Amino acid sequence: MYKSIYLILWILIAIAVPQSPLASQETRSITLQDALAIAASSGPGVSGAAALAEAARQGRRREAAGLLPEVGIEFGAMRTSDPVAAFGSRLRQGRFTAQDFAPELLNDPAALTDWSAALGLAWAPLDAARMAAVAAADATADAAALTADWSVRSASFLAEVRFIEAVGAESLLHAADAAVSAAEENLSLVGRRVEEGLLVEADRLRAQAAVETARASRIDAARLVEDTRGRLGLALGWPGGVVPIPLDDPAAVGSASGQTEELASRLDIQASGLAVQAADARLKQAQRARLPNLSGFARLESHAADPFSGTRNNWTVGVQLRMPVFTGFAISAAERAGRAHAEAAAEAHSDRLREAEATVAEARRAVDAATGQTRASDAAHTAAQEGARLVGLRFTEGLATTSDLLAAEASAASSASAALRAQLGRRLAIARLSYLTDVASTTNDLKQGPHP
């Protein structure tokens, strides 16, 4: 009976206690190519940059519309007793008679209704300032489009970095598992020696401490795996309940150390150059505001006392030439502001280009250094592994102490982690150089070192 009561209580507790968020998580396996494609469409900043590019494109259309004729249709109705309006409306309707000249009717006319319709046309074929504004809008729209493309490239690069980090964290976890297994084997071996009277209890305690240290490192490695997968999911734009599981392909990251791409062709640098062109065009717009502006207009109107009968048509055609003489120094102020903006844009572009050259050179050095570190770390790991094997044989034969064995295993575990971190660093360095040179790094020429 007590067992039944305990069972019921456990069931109630299981129902009442909320489930852990981890229990509701969904895992999805992805390759590097999958990650790049997903980030390119839903990565951070991609949608926003595309929206800004669309806004700039529509801004260009709005500016260009000023160079085309403008046609409008108007409909209206008015009822008034204003003497001037009544007098003019009777003339437009063609209903003016000699009696309407009577002073009493002119001074106090009866209320009059006027139904009107009009078709208007306006065009400014000569507007130098507007043409410069269109050129500025063109450059701005092109720069926004390139910036949107660069945001896709940046999102893909971030996903690639997060993918490599997640893969590296998983490799470090495997190395930590191997270190725990090795430490447990050593503990078992030392324990047997203690039972045989060949070693003392202090040796067992040292081996036990090595096991616990390896387990602590393994816990931290497992935490790093979860963290890097979470950051990868964020870079992919996935909801928090979906966890990506990266499927590593070491050949998917290639060496970019031989790339010689011109930085001027990089998307963000091109966008920066177009920003300079836009600023120059706005300066021209301010300067051309002093030039004459030629426009033409035409208007066809109809007026009637009744909307369906008695319609009288009138038309107007004209041209207008405008040239500012004094604008309260507004044009000169706009010109100075435009020149300052143009100078600032040119200086910013120059700084950006120099910075890009410096960062690419730095990235190339990082790839070279990481390659050397990877080779050295692989060699050190191979030597440490062999050393640990030989010390293990000597320990079995009673020719090495427990301290020698534990030190050799610790050195092998440390060198394994160092080799993995060196490989991770090299892959990240290659990805960064490929990103900065705007060259895809997904080639198959990476020479992998020995995997720990």
Side-chain angles (χ1 to χ4, degrees):
M1 179 178 179
Y2 289 110
K3 293 182 179 179
S4 301
I5 294 175
Y6 286 143
L7 179 60
I8 294 173
L9 288 175
W10 278 113
I11 293 174
L12 292 176
I13 292 173
I15 294 175
V17 175
Q19 296 293 319
S20 170
L22 296 177
S24 62
Q25 287 183 337
E26 174 190 354
T27 59
R28 296 181 189 175
S29 299
I30 60 170
T31 64
L32 176 58
Q33 295 300 326
D34 294 335
L36 297 180
I38 293 170
S41 61
S42 60
V46 172
S47 298
L52 291 176
E54 175 63 18
R57 189 174 71 87
Q58 296 304 325
R60 172 171 57 189
R61 292 185 60 188
R62 182 183 65 248
E63 289 291 348
L67 299 177
L68 300 176
E70 181 180 346
V71 179
I73 299 177
E74 302 174 11
F75 296 96
M78 177 185 68
R79 184 167 179 78
T80 181
S81 63
D82 178 74
V84 175
F87 187 89
S89 295
R90 283 186 180 278
L91 283 175
R92 294 189 187 96
Q93 294 173 2
R95 297 192 301 120
F96 205 88
T97 63
Q99 297 177 354
D100 293 318
F101 280 105
E104 63 275 9
L105 294 179
L106 290 174
N107 292 323
D108 188 18
L112 177 143
T113 300
D114 181 57
W115 295 85
S116 63
L119 174 65
L121 171 66
W123 184 32
L126 180 59
D127 190 342
R130 171 70 69 174
M131 294 177 183
V134 172
D138 283 340
T140 301
D142 292 341
L146 289 173
T147 300
D149 292 340
W150 183 249
S151 71
V152 172
R153 181 85 175 109
S154 298
S156 297
F157 166 66
L158 178 60
E160 184 175 8
V161 168
R162 298 307 185 208
F163 187 96
I164 294 172
E165 289 176 344
V167 168
E170 191 169 354
S171 298
L172 290 173
L173 178 59
H174 294 328
D177 288 334
V180 171
S181 298
E184 290 175 344
E185 290 177 4
N186 289 337
L187 176 60
S188 177
L189 179 59
V190 171
R192 290 195 300 270
R193 291 299 181 90
V194 171
E195 293 173 358
E196 294 171 358
L198 299 176
L199 296 174
V200 297
E201 186 62 24
D203 294 314
R204 189 204 301 269
L205 293 175
R206 283 198 296 270
Q208 182 65 45
V211 170
E212 298 305 327
T213 299
R215 288 174 179 169
S217 298
R218 198 267 176 200
I219 292 173
D220 189 62
R223 187 267 313 164
L224 183 61
V225 168
E226 296 300 325
D227 289 348
T228 54
R229 288 178 178 177
R231 288 193 288 265
L232 175 57
L234 185 63
L236 298 177
W238 284 2
V242 182
V243 179
I245 308 298
L247 301 177
D248 188 29
D249 179 10
V253 179
S255 173
S257 59
Q259 300 294 347
T260 58
E261 292 295 315
E262 289 292 336
L263 284 179
S265 64
R266 206 171 75 179
L267 295 176
D268 62 326
I269 301 300
Q270 291 185 59
S272 178
L274 286 171
V276 176
Q277 295 181 23
D280 291 338
R282 292 190 185 96
L283 173 59
K284 291 180 180 178
Q285 178 184 2
Q287 293 171 337
R288 291 177 180 179
R290 301 179 184 277
L291 300 178
N293 182 308
L294 178 64
S295 61
F297 58 92
R299 186 177 179 86
L300 176 63
E301 295 183 77
S302 65
H303 293 268
D306 185 86
F308 302 105
S309 63
T311 301
R312 175 72 177 269
N313 296 327
N314 305 296
W315 58 267
T316 305
V317 177
V319 294
Q320 185 180 45
L321 180 66
R322 299 181 58 193
M323 184 173 66
V325 177
F326 179 71
T327 60
F329 306 105
I331 293 178
S332 59
E335 184 178 349
R336 293 190 186 98
R339 182 174 291 105
H341 282 298
E343 292 174 355
E347 183 66 22
H349 177 66
S350 179
D351 292 343
R352 191 171 291 112
L353 187 57
R354 288 197 300 269
E355 181 182 0
E357 292 172 348
T359 53
V360 167
E362 176 185 330
R364 293 189 189 281
R365 291 192 295 270
V367 170
D368 294 339
T371 300
Q373 291 172 351
T374 299
R375 292 170 181 168
S377 298
D378 288 339
H381 172 60
T382 301
Q385 275 189 321
E386 181 63 15
R389 186 185 69 82
L390 294 176
V391 172
L393 292 177
R394 290 176 59 82
F395 181 80
T396 303
E397 297 170 356
L399 300 176
T401 65
T402 303
S403 297
D404 295 334
L405 177 64
L406 297 179
E409 289 293 346
S411 177
S414 177
S415 65
S417 297
L420 286 171
R421 293 182 186 280
Q423 290 185 7
L424 171 63
R426 181 172 184 265
R427 296 182 70 176
L428 291 174
I430 290 173
R432 181 169 182 262
L433 177 58
S434 298
Y435 167 68
L436 293 175
T437 53
D438 202 14
V439 177
S441 63
T442 53
T443 58
N444 295 318
D445 58 349
L446 178 60
K447 304 300 182 182
Q448 288 290 318
H451 195 282

